[in-house]
Amino acid sequence: MAGDPPRRQPTLDAVAELAGVSRSVASRALNNAPHVSRGKREAVERAVRQLGYVPNPTARALATRQTGAAALVVSGEDPSIFADPFFAQVIVGASAALEEADLHLMLCLAATDRGRRRVEELLRGKGADGVMLMALRENDPLARTAEEAEMPVVFGGRPVGSAPRWYVDVDNTGGAREATEYLLSLGRDRVAVICGPLDTEVSRARYRGYRDAMLAAGREPFPPYEGDFTEPGGAAVMAALLAEHPDVDAVFAANDNMGAGALRTLREAGRPVPDDVAVVGFDDLAAARIADPPLTTVHQPIEALGREMARMLVALVNGQDPTPLILPTRLVVRSSA
C-alpha cells in the first residue's frame, strides 16, 4: 500500500501571504532586521508557527547580507548640483562618517521621471543599506516612497507638511529671526526678504523667522520675494524689489548665493552697501567671505549636517533608534550690514 505523498514544505511566499505582508518584509522579520513594525513582525511570527515554516539557511545568509553602501539622494535635475558649495560640504561630512563605518557613498539625482524611478527602485530593493534624502519639494512622491521603504531613510531637512521619524535639520527659523533682528537693530525700517523656492520647508521656515522678527518689532513684513537659491536668481529678485520698493533699506537673503546676487544688483544700481541698503545672507559659504563687500550671514554647520545624517543612518542600519537632530546657527557679522 503506497504511503501518503510527502508534505511540501511551506515557502516564504506562503508565510508572507498568510501574514498579509510583502515577501521582503517577511524576510526581514525572520532575519530580525531593523525597520519592521512590531505588528508586522508579530504577524509573520504567527504565520511561521501556523505553517510550521523552517527558514532555509542559505536563503537567510543571502537575505541578511548588506551591500556596504549608503545613498545620498538629492531632488535636482542638474548633476552639477553636487558641485554647489553647499552640497559639496554635505558630501564631505557624509563621506567622512560613512568611511568610519566602512560604507561607500552613492550619489543619486531624482527630479526627472527616470531619476525618480531609479531612486524608487533603490528604496524598494537591496541596492543600498540606507538612504539620505535631501532637497525634497512639496508633494514630492519620493517622500511617500521613503515612508514605505523597507530600509532606513534619513531626511536632510524636513519635507513640507511632513514630520519624518528620522531627520537632521538646522535651526532655519531661528537663524532667519536672528538675521532680521540684527538688521532692525541697525535702525533699518524697510527690511525686505528674498526667499528660496516656497515649495520647500527650508524656504518657508526662513521666511517664518523673518516674519516673526518683523512682527515682534512692530514692522509690517514684506511678502516673500521668491528666488531659486542661485546668484542670478538673487540678482533678478533684487532688481524686482528695487523697482517696486525703491525705499527698501535692508534685505535678508535666504542663502549666500542670492545674497551675492543682491549685492551685484545694488552695486549696478548705484545703491551703496551697507550705507544705503544693508544685506544679510544665510549659509556662511566661501562666497560670503569674498563678496564685495564681504557678506554678513547666518552660519549653518553644513559639513556637520552631512556628517550627522550619515551617523544617524549608520545607527539605524545597526538596529538603533536615534532621535531627530536640529543643529544650531549663529550670525557672522561682516561689512555688508
Side-chain angles (χ1 to χ4, degrees):
M1 180 175 179
D4 293 332
R7 182 186 175 191
R8 292 185 60 186
Q9 291 294 324
T11 64
L12 180 59
D13 288 328
V15 171
E17 181 178 358
L18 182 59
V21 300
S22 68
R23 190 180 193 279
S24 57
V25 168
S27 175
R28 292 181 64 81
L30 287 170
N31 290 294
N32 201 31
H35 321 301
V36 178
S37 70
R38 178 180 297 178
K40 290 181 179 179
R41 195 181 298 277
E42 290 174 351
V44 170
E45 290 171 353
R46 285 195 299 271
V48 166
R49 290 194 298 270
Q50 185 173 337
L51 294 173
Y53 173 77
V54 178
N56 182 297
T58 302
R60 169 169 287 188
L62 290 172
T64 57
R65 185 177 60 193
Q66 295 184 330
T67 67
L72 174 62
V73 177
V74 176
S75 191
E77 298 180 356
D78 186 356
S80 66
I81 193 171
F82 289 119
D84 180 285
F86 175 87
F87 286 106
Q89 289 188 43
V90 169
I91 291 169
V92 168
S95 180
L98 291 176
E99 185 176 354
E100 294 174 359
D102 291 325
L103 289 173
H104 297 293
L105 177 62
M106 301 165 52
L107 302 179
C108 303
L109 286 174
T112 64
D113 289 341
R114 182 180 180 184
R116 277 191 292 269
R117 284 196 301 269
R118 290 179 61 194
V119 174
E120 288 172 358
E121 291 170 1
L122 180 71
L123 287 166
R124 291 169 177 156
K126 288 284 188 178
D129 295 333
V131 171
M132 297 169 282
L133 277 179
M134 295 194 71
L136 294 186
R137 300 292 187 94
E138 187 175 16
N139 299 321
D140 194 318
L142 284 181
R144 179 174 294 276
T145 305
E147 291 175 359
E148 299 171 351
E150 295 165 8
M151 66 173 63
V153 178
V154 172
F155 287 79
R158 286 159 287 185
V160 173
S162 176
R165 185 171 179 182
W166 298 293
Y167 65 84
V168 181
D169 207 347
V170 299
D171 186 8
N172 291 299
T173 301
R177 184 188 306 116
E178 184 179 14
T180 308
E181 289 172 346
Y182 174 71
L183 289 169
L184 292 167
S185 75
L186 299 177
R188 309 291 171 145
D189 291 315
R190 300 282 292 164
V191 182
V193 58
I194 300 176
C195 296
L198 291 172
D199 60 352
T200 62
E201 178 59 26
V202 60
S203 296
R204 296 185 183 186
R206 291 177 190 177
Y207 182 74
R208 287 196 297 270
Y210 157 83
R211 181 196 60 202
D212 292 349
M214 293 289 283
L215 291 174
R219 306 292 202 279
E220 182 67 26
F222 277 62
Y225 279 74
E226 186 174 3
D228 60 1
F229 284 142
T230 69
E231 194 273 352
V237 174
M238 189 71 244
L241 261 171
L242 290 179
E244 296 180 29
H245 303 281
D247 58 343
V248 66
D249 61 5
V251 174
F252 165 57
N255 83 333
D256 288 345
N257 291 333
M258 295 191 299
L263 291 177
R264 176 163 63 87
T265 293
L266 290 166
R267 186 167 56 250
E268 293 170 354
R271 303 286 296 269
V273 176
D275 296 340
D276 191 12
V277 182
V279 180
V280 174
F282 200 115
D283 281 340
D284 197 19
L285 300 173
R289 296 190 290 273
I290 63 176
D292 183 20
L295 186 63
T296 294
T297 189
V298 176
H299 173 86
Q300 64 165 321
I302 304 172
E303 189 172 322
L305 175 65
R307 183 172 61 250
E308 295 303 328
M309 285 169 57
R311 285 178 175 173
M312 185 174 290
L313 186 65
V314 170
L316 289 167
V317 169
N318 290 334
Q320 302 171 35
D321 188 11
T323 56
L325 180 63
I326 303 291
L327 301 174
T329 62
R330 58 183 171 84
L331 187 69
V332 178
V333 177
R334 299 194 179 99
S335 303
S336 69

